[in-house]
Amino acid sequence: MSSVRVALAVTEGVPHFELAAACDVFGVDRSDLVDPWYDFTVCGPASVGVGDRFRLAPDEGLDGLVRADTVIVPACADPAVEPPADLVEAVRAAHDAGARVASLCTGAFVLAAAGLLDGRRATTHWWHAAALAARHPRVRVDPDVLYVDDGRVLTSAGKAAAMDLCLHLVRLDHGAAVANAVARRLVVPPHRAGGQAQFVATPVPEPRDHSLDALFAWALARLDRPLTVEDLARRASMSSRNLARHFHAVTGTTPLRWLSTQRIHRAQELLETTDDSVDTIATATGMGTATTLRRHFHRTLGVPPDAYRRTFRSARPAAPSPPAPPSPRAPTPPR
C-alpha cells in the first residue's frame, strides 16, 4: 500500500488555525494506525509569514502541488483581495493532473478563482459566503453547512469545520475507525456530517433549554434498539415538534436521518474492527436484518458491507483501541 501524497499550499499571511489543522491531521506520523501514513509536503514561496507572528519555510515551491494526490488550500490572508496568481495556477494545474483539491475556510476563494467551483455547490465561512457568491456567480454557495464533498473538489466552512473536513478526508482514505482514532487523539468530535449547520443564527440556549449533547450520547449508547422520534423527545423532555426544530438547528437534519447516519457509522466501525457477521452487525446497529443493513449501507456509501470490509481491512490492521488514561509519570500521549 503506497501512501497518499498530501500537499499543503501556503502563501504570505496564511492564518494559523487552518494551516495547523492540516499539519496536525496529515503531517504528524500516525503509522501506528496506518502504515504508511500520509506523505505530507508544504508547498509555497521560500519564506511565508503565518498570521502576523511566525514565518515558515516550505518544503518546496508551489509547482510541487502538481505531484500530489490531495491538495489542501487553507484560508486566505485577506479574502477581499484576489488570491496570488501563481497559487491559483498551481492549484488549477494540480486538479488538471488528477489531484483531489480541498479548501479550508476562505481557501474556497482560491478554488473559485481557479474555476474549480464553477457549477458546483460549495461553502466557506458564513461571514464571507455572500462575497464569494457575488464575486463568483457561477458557484452555488451554501453558507449553512460545515463542508461540501463534491468528489475531487471539497470545501469547508471556517475554523473547526476545517478540522471536520480534514477528518472526513482521512475517513475516505482509511475508514471510520482510523478517522475516529485520530479524532480521539486530537480530542475533537469523531464525526460531524457536512450538512450540519454552521450555528450562525443559533442563540445561546436559555437556562430552561436542554442541550442535545446528552441526548446524542444517550442515543449512541442505544443504537441496537428500535428508537423512535417519540423516544428521543421523551428523553429530551420535549415535544416531537420541538425536538425536530432543535435537531435541525444543531445538525441540519431530522432526528430519524441523524439516527440512520449514526447506525451506518457504527456499522462501518464494526466492519473495520471486528470479524462479526453482517447479521450480527445488523443487530448491533439496530438495522434488524442483514438485508436491511445492506440496503441502507449501499444507498449511503455506494458499496455493500462486504466490499467495504475488504477495502478497509485488507491493507492494514484494525485501528487499536484508545490507550488507558496515563498515570502521572506516563509519557506524553500520542499526537
Side-chain angles (χ1 to χ4, degrees):
M1 176 181 178
S2 59
S3 59
V4 175
R5 296 166 296 175
V6 174
L8 179 65
V10 297
T11 53
E12 186 65 26
V14 59
H16 309 85
F17 189 94
E18 292 82 359
L19 181 144
C23 288
D24 222 1
V25 171
F26 303 107
V28 173
D29 181 13
R30 304 188 192 280
S31 52
D32 59 318
L33 297 178
V34 174
D35 191 10
W37 188 243
Y38 291 96
D39 179 1
F40 183 72
T41 304
V42 179
C43 298
S47 178
V48 174
V50 179
D52 57 0
R53 292 181 178 272
F54 308 105
R55 296 209 69 81
L56 171 70
D59 302 306
E60 55 183 296
L62 288 170
D63 56 350
L65 299 182
V66 76
R67 293 184 289 277
D69 301 304
T70 297
V71 171
I72 307 293
V73 183
C76 302
D78 183 357
V81 177
E82 285 294 329
D86 56 348
L87 172 62
V88 172
E89 290 299 326
V91 168
R92 183 187 296 118
H95 180 265
D96 290 346
R100 174 177 63 182
V101 180
S103 66
L104 309 181
C105 193
T106 55
F109 284 82
V110 177
L111 273 59
L116 304 189
L117 301 183
D118 288 352
R120 296 181 187 269
R121 177 170 164 262
T123 194
T124 189
H125 192 293
W126 61 269
W127 185 269
H128 301 285
L132 179 64
R135 193 184 306 173
H136 299 281
R138 297 183 64 187
V139 181
R140 294 185 287 117
V141 179
D142 187 343
D144 297 324
V145 297
L146 294 180
Y147 58 85
V148 174
D149 181 344
D150 196 16
R152 284 204 301 125
V153 179
L154 304 93
T155 53
S156 85
K159 304 302 178 185
M163 181 66 76
D164 291 316
L165 180 53
C166 289
L167 290 172
H168 175 68
L169 291 172
V170 174
R171 188 174 297 104
L172 291 175
D173 294 337
H174 300 299
V178 169
N180 291 349
V182 175
R184 282 194 295 269
R185 294 183 181 185
L186 297 175
V187 197
V188 298
H191 182 266
R192 294 198 297 170
Q196 186 164 323
Q198 288 191 39
F199 304 104
V200 297
T202 304
V204 176
E206 297 180 15
R208 67 176 181 274
D209 288 337
H210 296 270
S211 167
L212 291 184
D213 287 344
L215 179 63
F216 291 160
W218 181 85
L220 289 173
R222 293 164 175 77
L223 290 180
D224 59 329
R225 307 179 191 182
L227 297 174
T228 65
V229 174
E230 289 72 25
D231 294 329
L232 297 175
R234 190 179 306 113
R235 178 68 185 183
S237 300
M238 298 180 187
S239 68
S240 296
R241 178 176 295 182
N242 196 29
L243 178 69
R245 181 174 62 82
H246 278 260
F247 247 85
H248 191 272
V250 172
T251 70
T253 190
T254 67
L256 286 181
R257 287 177 181 171
W258 180 86
L259 271 175
S260 178
T261 299
Q262 304 314 310
R263 295 186 197 281
I264 293 296
H265 292 160
R266 181 66 55 80
Q268 287 179 275
E269 280 212 69
L270 292 175
L271 287 165
E272 295 173 33
T273 60
T274 75
D275 294 318
D276 293 348
S277 68
V278 174
D279 287 284
T280 299
I281 292 173
T283 300
T285 58
M287 294 286 187
T289 67
T291 299
T292 301
L293 173 59
R294 287 191 174 97
R295 182 173 69 253
H296 287 284
F297 201 92
H298 192 280
R299 184 179 63 191
T300 302
L301 298 176
V303 294
D306 300 290
Y308 182 90
R309 170 173 270 166
R310 287 193 298 270
T311 298
F312 287 107
R313 296 201 65 184
S314 61
R316 59 168 175 81
S321 300
S327 65
R329 294 187 178 182
T332 301
R335 296 178 65 193

